[in-house]
Amino acid sequence: MTLRLRSQTLRNVMAYWQLRGARATLQHALSEIAKMRRRQPDKSFASIVGGELFDRDRTVAFDHEPRVSIIICNLDGLPHLPALCDALTAQSYTNFEIVFVDNASTDGSPDYLRERFPTAKLIRLTRNLGFAAANNVGYLAAVGELVAFLNNDTVPHEDWLAELVSELRRRPFAGSAVPKVLFNRFFSRLTITCTEQASLSATTLLDSLDYRKVFVDEHELNSEEDIAINASLTLVLPQQENPVIFEFRSAGELARVRIQREQRTVASGYTSRDTHLRLEIANSWLSVAHWYRVINNAGSTSHRIFATADRGYGEIDASQYDRRTVVDYMCGCAALVRRSALGAELPFREEFFAYFEDSELSLRLRRRRFPILYVPRSVVLHTHSATASTNSTFRSYLIKRNRLIFMYHRVPVALRRALLILAVLREHGTDRRRKTLRLARRVFQLYALARDPKLLAGECNDQALRDALLLVANAPVPTVPRKRVCIYNDYWNSCGGGEAHALEFARYFMDKGIELTLASKSSIDVARLSMLFNIDLQTVLLFTKPDFCSADTQHFDLFINSTYQSTLVSRAPYSMFIVSFPSRKSSKAFRSSYFFAFNSDFTRDWSSRFWGETNGAVIEPVVREIGMAADLSAKRNLILNVGRFSNRGHAKNQHVIARAFIAALEANPAANWHLVLAGTLDQTSRVDVEYFGKLLETSAGYPISLVEGAEKRDIAALYAQAKVYVHAAGLGVDSEERPELSEHFGMTVAEAIHAACYVIVHNSGNPPFMVQKHGFGSTYQSEGELTRMLAEMIGKNDLTVDRPPRPGCEKAFAPEVFTRKLAAALQSIGFTP
């Protein structure tokens, strides 16, 4: 048979090669092969590599290690957290974050988790929302491409997460991966034989246990009714230091009872109808030779008609479920879910509160053709029913109620009325007086009521059944997916003007209540962005992927690319590109995939030169925290310039402004004017520090102030006082040959116009467009022309201009103007928030 390397595998390898280099690719390949050999020790090296590379159903995972968000829902779970935290610390897969959602605990468990994991996302709820709603809250705060739901009473093995992630990487079309879940105790096995029919007191047995898990012939003992013993039965009991107490009573005259462990009698005695037999059996570490693990869940399967069941529940783990396979349903206590498989929906339906919410999620995944993978090499120990005890009334109520809700969603629509009628009839099934004719009349009556489950609920006496019918009536089916918007930027952490402009788009969508995702190829410092730009990003989803590509854009309803000079093609239904300055080369597919939001008229002009005609509009940045002076006559004879102190890159040329001002003063010795140069200084740059030192030398002895590192409010105060703003960026640059070095927008010029300053700008880049369109001022071509202009102005000892500020100039860059323009742009492409 001819073997042919899969094209997808080759693309994965080449992508990893380009991203990481040849050496890292070879190291990764050897690491992956070593993992394969550990998983399949019985196979040869050639068969493993051949199977992974040439099997058309499998691919080698050469992409990045996906970020995983582990969501832990907690309610007074402090006794379980030390073991859980130790297990998470020991995980072999380390690219994960912890999202801890606390349902109003009173035992201090949130503080304990914060102490153990200071960087975890801790969400404190003011009341108990339930397992489903709390996990949804955590999901909204999670940033991972994969999301793990982990109970607080679990202890995952060190490879729990690594095995699940590996399986989802190898099976790109799978929606979820689930581990083998074992009870968090060792168990011993006892055999009880009786010569006559007898009974065992379940109440006495359960009361003697620290961990109330007993399995009778592989079925859990979950009631306190006596257990009938006809000839023999097998019990599986949890390990404990205290003795286990058995109490027997015979149904006949006399019966001999014998308890055996591993075919050795450990206790025996006689009982009769009138006398009971009480035996105490040691079940501690030292008294038992063979201990077993008992299966809680090996994936879930369909059970009876439209119901679910834990696969392997109550069975001793003897490797009978050690084969990877596709299962019908997941167990939500330790499942890993692919975020993209959920689309725009939340993972759980909140009306479930707890129990069966994971089955309903599984149902949605399967209907979307996302299979659920069972991964037996991933193992989790589970205490089980730690928050709600096994026999609690509330737990029984939730299970009964939610079973009907789940079955309602599970059955075909045509059978839903019949299901509800059957549930109501079953409640009244003990009425023996009901004859066939009366039963038929009752069915027709209920069938008419079943059109509205609320009316049918009035026929029920059982609280769980009545609540289930009311929830079915009120919950919309199916849920309407929320619209998803993504803003992509590879340079979020630079926190520059482009990022500030992009965050205004983010602010717009957050105010609309739309699910917003910030995406990048590297990690995003949300806390720094929030602090610098005064925006609350706590509800924003974060998506980071080193090889972010066009395929990733199609998961969103609206994709906004704000990366400087990016040429990424969008495949989203609606797309927008925030253009700071256009790239010289671009593909036709790129230009046709976006609506272009130009940040300035200058940018739009050069975009048309490089790209030709495109679909777009100018949406200028917003000026915040800079206000217009209440009384313009109160402005001082102050000339202002704001910008970083540097003569590199987009140089602000403060030295030119200082020289021109000094020359103007020397021409007008009696003038009473002051120059303020304000901005930031990179203390780590030797070149910038030296430039700042030369400015100090130049301005010595003149009314020139250098303000370094001023607060935003201090800069706003300077704008309010200044009559003139001088801008020199672009001076000395050939804007025709190197337009990218010109001022693409000019935020400080916009702030000056907003504050009603008379602006003097170099005739390059976007500032001349702004002066003509919004403000009042003039332009110059050279340093000499700037000097003559300043000398003429300050010689009058007051500012006289050809025209006053245009009406409304203080609102030219206001948030409401931005909102109006963005809303019009979205309407033009057909996207409705």
Side-chain angles (χ1 to χ4, degrees):
M1 179 179 65
T2 303
L3 298 177
R4 187 159 55 94
L5 184 65
R6 294 190 62 206
S7 59
Q8 180 61 47
T9 301
L10 183 59
R11 285 195 296 271
N12 287 341
V13 175
M14 294 305 298
Y16 196 93
W17 186 299
Q18 293 173 358
L19 186 66
R20 303 289 180 86
R23 182 176 180 181
T25 303
L26 180 60
Q27 290 176 342
H28 184 76
L30 294 175
S31 174
E32 287 291 311
I33 292 172
K35 293 178 183 177
M36 296 173 201
R37 296 198 70 176
R38 287 197 298 270
R39 286 194 296 263
Q40 305 171 70
D42 56 327
K43 292 188 177 182
S44 66
F45 174 82
S47 64
I48 290 174
V49 175
E52 294 292 332
L53 293 180
F54 304 112
D55 185 342
R56 67 177 60 236
D57 294 327
R58 301 163 79 177
T59 61
V60 177
F62 269 93
D63 55 348
H64 75 295
E65 290 187 343
R67 181 76 165 170
V68 179
S69 295
I70 301 176
I71 301 175
I72 303 170
C73 175
N74 176 74
L75 175 61
D76 294 329
L78 184 59
H80 308 288
L81 292 186
L84 173 61
C85 293
D86 290 343
L88 290 176
T89 303
Q91 289 297 302
S92 58
Y93 189 89
T94 58
N95 190 19
F96 65 83
E97 66 163 358
I98 297 174
V99 182
F100 190 82
V101 185
D102 185 70
N103 264 323
S105 295
T106 58
D107 65 347
S109 46
D111 297 327
Y112 177 83
L113 185 111
R114 171 63 72 204
E115 182 181 342
R116 291 294 303 268
F117 295 103
T119 60
K121 293 180 179 178
L122 177 57
I123 303 172
R124 299 174 188 256
L125 304 178
T126 56
R127 60 187 179 90
N128 182 8
L129 298 183
F131 181 85
N135 273 296
N136 285 347
V137 171
Y139 180 81
L140 291 174
V143 302
E145 299 166 58
L146 304 177
V147 180
F149 300 101
L150 188 64
N151 280 17
N152 63 349
D153 61 343
T154 57
V155 182
H157 284 193
E158 63 177 8
D159 288 332
W160 159 68
L161 192 56
E163 292 289 344
L164 295 181
V165 171
S166 176
E167 197 65 22
L168 286 186
R169 291 170 69 196
R170 289 155 47 89
R171 301 290 189 269
F173 300 109
S176 175
V178 295
K180 178 195 288 185
V181 183
L182 305 174
F183 286 109
N184 193 14
R185 282 291 183 95
F186 282 98
F187 289 77
S188 67
R189 182 164 51 188
L190 297 175
T191 302
I192 301 176
T193 58
C194 290
T195 56
E196 299 290 340
Q197 186 176 3
S199 62
L200 170 63
S201 172
T203 303
T204 303
L205 174 59
L206 291 173
D207 288 345
S208 69
L209 297 176
D210 300 332
Y211 184 61
R212 294 168 65 92
K213 287 289 177 187
V214 179
F215 297 94
V216 182
D217 293 333
E218 296 186 348
H219 295 283
E220 184 178 3
L221 178 60
N222 50 21
S223 72
E224 297 191 354
E225 296 181 0
D226 289 351
I227 307 165
I229 308 173
N230 292 320
S232 68
L233 61 81
T234 301
L235 290 179
V236 177
L237 301 171
Q239 177 271 334
Q240 67 178 40
E241 294 304 314
N242 298 323
V244 181
I245 301 174
F246 297 86
E247 193 172 277
F248 300 92
R249 187 180 297 275
S250 173
E253 292 298 326
L254 188 67
R256 186 189 181 207
V257 179
R258 183 169 59 176
I259 303 178
Q260 292 181 306
R261 179 185 286 132
E262 309 295 339
Q263 298 183 349
R264 185 174 64 87
T265 300
V266 293
S268 63
Y270 292 88
T271 182
S272 66
R273 184 184 295 111
D274 300 323
T275 60
H276 68 269
L277 172 65
R278 181 185 177 94
L279 299 175
E280 294 186 2
I281 305 297
N283 203 42
S284 61
W285 285 115
L286 299 178
S287 60
V288 179
H290 298 285
W291 292 102
Y292 304 94
R293 286 290 191 187
V294 175
I295 296 173
N296 179 181
N297 178 275
S300 298
T301 185
S302 298
H303 177 64
R304 296 175 183 171
I305 180 169
F306 304 128
T308 66
D310 294 315
R311 214 168 60 115
Y313 188 85
E315 298 180 26
I316 290 177
D317 183 22
S319 303
Q320 70 271 41
Y321 295 103
D322 278 5
R323 180 176 175 272
R324 288 182 297 180
T325 186
V326 175
V327 293
D328 296 328
Y329 301 96
M330 71 173 70
C331 174
C333 84
L336 183 66
V337 178
R338 195 187 302 274
R339 184 188 287 274
S340 58
L342 292 172
E345 294 181 351
L346 293 172
F348 299 121
R349 297 182 70 107
E350 297 183 1
E351 63 264 28
F352 282 96
F353 194 85
Y355 303 109
F356 283 96
E357 75 291 326
D358 48 2
S359 298
E360 192 280 331
L361 171 59
S362 305
L363 190 62
R364 273 186 283 147
L365 291 176
R366 288 170 52 205
R367 284 175 174 171
R368 294 175 182 175
R369 301 187 182 278
F370 286 107
I372 299 167
L373 306 176
Y374 168 64
V375 187
R377 294 183 70 88
S378 175
V379 178
V380 169
L381 304 181
H382 186 206
T383 299
H384 194 257
S385 299
T387 300
S389 63
T390 304
N391 297 318
S392 72
T393 304
F394 184 56
R395 180 177 184 269
S396 302
Y397 159 81
L398 286 176
I399 290 176
K400 184 175 182 179
R401 186 196 71 173
N402 292 352
R403 181 182 288 113
L404 179 59
I405 298 175
F406 169 73
M407 292 177 68
Y408 180 84
H409 293 305
R410 173 69 180 84
V411 301
V413 176
L415 297 180
R416 285 179 176 174
R417 289 174 69 181
L419 172 68
L420 299 182
I421 293 170
L422 183 61
V424 176
L425 288 175
R426 187 173 295 171
E427 182 196 4
H428 300 288
T430 57
D431 188 354
R432 298 181 180 178
R433 296 173 298 174
R434 197 179 303 279
K435 302 299 182 183
T436 303
L437 184 60
R438 293 177 63 190
L439 179 62
R441 191 181 300 118
R442 179 65 170 162
V443 169
F444 282 114
Q445 180 187 4
L446 294 176
Y447 187 79
L449 295 175
R451 295 178 180 177
D452 185 355
K454 290 182 181 179
L455 299 177
L456 200 59
E459 300 294 314
C460 301
N461 296 321
D462 184 80
Q463 183 70 35
L465 180 58
R466 185 166 59 250
D467 289 350
L469 292 171
L470 292 175
L471 287 171
V472 162
N474 294 329
V477 182
T479 55
V480 179
R482 297 192 304 169
K483 290 186 177 180
R484 307 180 70 198
V485 175
C486 174
I487 303 180
Y488 172 71
N489 191 318
D490 281 342
Y491 310 108
W492 283 119
N493 292 343
S494 67
C495 299
E499 289 65 50
H501 188 32
L503 287 177
E504 290 298 333
F505 286 74
R507 198 188 303 267
Y508 174 86
F509 292 111
M510 287 191 295
D511 290 344
K512 297 287 185 181
I514 294 176
E515 180 185 297
L516 178 67
T517 300
L518 300 185
S520 181
K521 289 184 178 180
S522 57
S523 61
I524 303 172
D525 191 346
V526 175
R528 187 162 178 253
L529 288 171
S530 300
M531 179 188 68
L532 289 177
F533 301 112
N534 193 26
I535 181 172
D536 185 2
L537 298 174
Q538 290 184 359
T539 61
V540 169
L541 302 176
L542 302 181
F543 180 60
T544 57
K545 187 179 178 186
D547 57 346
F548 191 96
C549 61
S550 296
D552 297 308
T553 65
Q554 61 190 353
H555 301 306
F556 304 97
D557 298 291
L558 172 64
F559 177 75
I560 301 177
N561 189 346
S562 63
T563 301
Y564 180 69
Q565 294 197 337
S566 169
T567 56
L568 177 72
V569 177
S570 175
R571 297 181 184 175
Y574 303 95
S575 304
M576 186 177 288
F577 192 105
I578 303 173
V579 189
S580 296
F581 194 79
S583 56
R584 291 178 179 267
K585 295 182 179 180
S586 63
S587 65
K588 183 178 180 181
F590 163 77
R591 296 191 298 272
S592 62
S593 66
Y594 289 105
F595 176 92
F596 293 96
F598 306 105
N599 71 337
S600 66
D601 293 281
F602 174 75
T603 298
R604 181 173 60 179
D605 179 57
W606 278 97
S607 297
S608 63
R609 296 196 201 185
F610 289 160
W611 298 343
E613 291 300 320
T614 54
N615 183 26
V618 174
I619 303 179
E620 294 168 313
V622 172
V623 173
R624 293 186 182 272
E625 301 179 8
I626 303 295
M628 186 174 180
D631 183 8
L632 292 180
S633 63
K635 280 180 173 282
R636 297 168 45 201
N637 289 346
L638 176 67
I639 300 173
L640 177 65
N641 172 266
V642 178
R644 61 186 175 87
F645 292 105
S646 176
N647 210 28
R648 300 177 292 118
H650 287 259
K652 304 305 178 184
N653 294 319
Q654 290 97 335
H655 64 291
V656 174
I657 299 173
R659 285 203 305 254
F661 177 73
I662 292 171
L665 281 181
E666 291 174 347
N668 301 275
N672 183 25
W673 281 78
H674 193 86
L675 172 66
V676 175
L677 304 175
T680 59
L681 174 64
D682 183 1
Q683 299 284 354
T684 64
S685 171
R686 181 179 57 83
V687 176
D688 290 354
V689 172
E690 289 179 355
Y691 177 72
F692 186 77
K694 291 179 180 178
L695 281 176
L696 289 173
E697 293 177 4
T698 302
S699 11
Y702 295 96
I704 301 176
S705 299
L706 272 64
V707 181
E708 186 266 321
E711 297 286 339
K712 194 73 174 178
R713 62 176 178 272
D714 297 327
I715 298 295
L718 289 172
Y719 276 118
Q721 298 171 34
K723 286 184 178 180
V724 179
Y725 182 86
V726 178
H727 195 66
L731 185 64
V733 175
D734 189 339
S735 59
E736 289 296 321
E737 289 294 325
R738 302 292 301 277
E740 62 274 10
L741 295 181
S742 298
E743 197 74 84
H744 305 152
F745 174 68
M747 178 56 78
T748 57
V749 177
E751 291 173 344
I753 292 173
H754 196 75
C757 298
Y758 185 85
V759 292
I760 302 175
V761 300
H762 183 258
N763 192 25
S764 65
N766 188 61
F769 286 91
M770 285 197 289
V771 171
Q772 181 181 7
K773 185 177 180 181
H774 300 298
F776 73 118
S778 53
T779 62
Y780 63 91
Q781 286 291 131
S782 63
E783 182 179 345
E785 189 175 351
L786 173 62
T787 301
R788 288 193 299 274
M789 195 174 294
L790 291 177
E792 180 182 350
M793 287 182 177
I794 68 178
K796 300 175 182 178
N797 202 33
D798 197 358
L799 180 60
T800 303
V801 295
D802 297 332
R803 53 190 172 87
R806 289 187 180 179
C809 69
E810 75 279 5
K811 297 182 179 179
F813 306 99
E816 54 267 27
V817 175
F818 173 87
T819 299
R820 186 173 63 250
K821 290 183 178 180
L822 178 55
L826 293 174
Q827 185 179 7
S828 70
I829 63 177
F831 181 81
T832 305

